[in-house]
Amino acid sequence: MAPTDAQGEYLFDELVRSVHDRAPLEVLEAVESYAAAIGLGRIIVYVVDLQQRLLVPLTEGEPLPVDGTTAGSAYRSETLRLAEGDGELELWLPLRDGVDRMGVLYVCAPFLDEPTLRRCQTLAALLALIITSKRAYSDTYARHTRTRPVHLRTEMLRAFLPPRTLGTARGISTAVLEPAYELGGDAFDHSITKDVLHVAILDAMGHDLASGLTASVAMAGARSARRNGAGLRDLTAEVEEALTTWLPERFCTGVFATLNLSSGLFSWVNCAHPAPLLIRKGRLSPGALERDSELPLGLAEVGADAGARTVHELRLDPGDQILLYTDGVTEAHDEQGRMFGLERFADFIIRATSAEEPAPETLRRLIHSIHDHQRGSFTDDATIMLLEWTPDGPGAKG
């Protein structure tokens, strides 16, 4: 028999109080006890692997493919999925850290009414918060998201990377990068301060440990400047100074940008990087964000005039999308030497947006398409960031 609302509230309160001093997997034991007490059957937490191909259970069971399964459908669509099991109902609920997809929660229930569904959704929300907080100081979750060892340079870079996706109802930033286990010098960053979305994409020279160090120093320099209140011009100057002072033989290209989520003002500095792309009303706007080329980061003299970097501005329309990418995306080539190309890259995004596919899912499929185009390997790092401005909510896309 299902507990009353008062009993259910008491049990949930006890669960929340108990998780703080438990190890990551011990938390799941407490959750299983709570689930049994409110009349649920078996529950399993699945986290997505680095390449977003598998959903890996934290306890028992085998990994499930993201593509072609009910569990994967819940992950891809970011919505609840319901299936009939052996005399019971099977629920698959997305686990999200804000808007960032983490995995799914499997719940087996003998019946499903509104209070039970609400408790399952609340449990999924709590588990997402628990995983987010505990993965900061435990390797448990990281181990489950990896199917093979990570290179040293990649480990260093991944320590700096933010969640793949962040945003609000008015705008979103989402990113993917490959090769997941052998990254060289690509990196991305994004953050929200009040109503401003800050983003950066970097591509360091080479594909070795020094490349990863270069990207890491550039990212740290940008974050330090941003958190001290610097604008884009001063931020870029601080990154330049950090690289020329501590890594004088290295350089990287990059774009640093901000998007005001209230006004739609997009501002950016381009340091010898491929120009961002603007997609408006389902069409690529050729050259909309192309400007005069500037030097890569790390090549200026120490103490050089920061005014050499130009901040560009463009007022977006509701529903506009901006693509930031590294050259490993468009220059990916198949066995005949045919490039993946800019047109195919943009068309993939446009078609997915027309189908109202969530932006994180679009990039997941896109990076897999680029992987397949190159016969299952990456000869260069490939990083993609997609920004969407939806001031009137997610349905505002043009």
Side-chain angles (χ1 to χ4, degrees), residues 127-138:
L127 279 167
L129 290 173
I130 292 171
I131 293 172
T132 299
S133 65
K134 291 186 178 292
R135 67 182 174 185
Y137 58 82
S138 171

Side-chain angles (χ1 to χ4, degrees), residues 275-291:
L277 303 178
L278 173 65
I279 297 175
R280 174 169 289 170
K281 295 181 178 179
R283 293 185 178 181
L284 178 65
S285 299
L289 302 177
E290 289 185 6
R291 300 294 187 270

Side-chain angles (χ1 to χ4, degrees), residues 88-163:
E88 294 184 302
L89 295 174
E90 297 181 339
L91 284 75
W92 298 92
L93 301 100
L95 294 175
R96 301 195 306 173
D97 174 16
V99 294
D100 186 43
R101 307 183 300 179
M102 303 165 58
V104 295
L105 172 64
Y106 168 81
V107 179
C108 188
F111 63 91
L112 184 62
D113 55 14
E114 185 176 345
T116 301
L117 176 58
R118 186 171 63 250
R119 287 175 182 136
C120 290
Q121 292 171 326
T122 303
L123 183 59
L126 175 63
L127 279 167
L129 290 173
I130 292 171
I131 293 172
T132 299
S133 65
K134 291 186 178 292
R135 67 182 174 185
Y137 58 82
S138 171
D139 291 337
T140 299
Y141 301 118
R143 286 179 177 179
H144 280 80
T145 62
R146 300 177 179 188
T147 60
R148 61 180 187 270
V150 169
H151 284 201
L152 174 59
R153 62 179 183 268
T154 306
E155 193 71 65
M156 177 171 58
L157 270 176
R158 286 203 170 277
F160 279 92
L161 292 180

Side-chain angles (χ1 to χ4, degrees), residues 57 77 126 217 232 241 379:
S77 65
L126 175 63
V217 169
L232 286 175
E241 182 176 0
T379 55

Side-chain angles (χ1 to χ4, degrees), residues 154-216:
T154 306
E155 193 71 65
M156 177 171 58
L157 270 176
R158 286 203 170 277
F160 279 92
L161 292 180
R164 278 186 288 258
T165 307
L166 58 81
T168 69
R170 293 184 297 167
I172 191 172
S173 172
T174 185
V176 289
L177 71 172
E178 284 279 3
Y181 296 88
E182 300 92 20
L183 283 174
D186 275 17
F188 71 89
D189 194 21
H190 46 200
S191 176
I192 294 180
T193 305
K194 292 185 178 179
D195 59 352
V196 176
L197 174 62
H198 305 261
V199 300
I201 189 168
L202 299 163
D203 185 356
M205 175 192 80
H207 204 264
D208 52 19
L209 183 61
S211 303
L213 182 60
T214 302
S216 298

Side-chain angles (χ1 to χ4, degrees), residues 38-98:
I38 63 173
L40 300 177
R42 189 163 50 113
I43 68 167
I44 304 175
V45 175
Y46 292 81
V47 291
V48 73
D49 77 313
L50 285 183
Q51 295 179 300
Q52 299 185 84
R53 293 183 181 274
L54 295 172
L55 290 163
V56 184
L58 289 180
T59 50
E60 60 184 87
E62 295 295 321
L64 300 173
V66 170
D67 293 302
T69 62
T70 304
S73 178
Y75 177 82
R76 298 192 311 270
S77 65
E78 304 175 28
T79 57
L80 168 72
R81 288 291 185 261
L82 182 64
E84 291 188 11
D86 295 332
E88 294 184 302
L89 295 174
E90 297 181 339
L91 284 75
W92 298 92
L93 301 100
L95 294 175
R96 301 195 306 173
D97 174 16

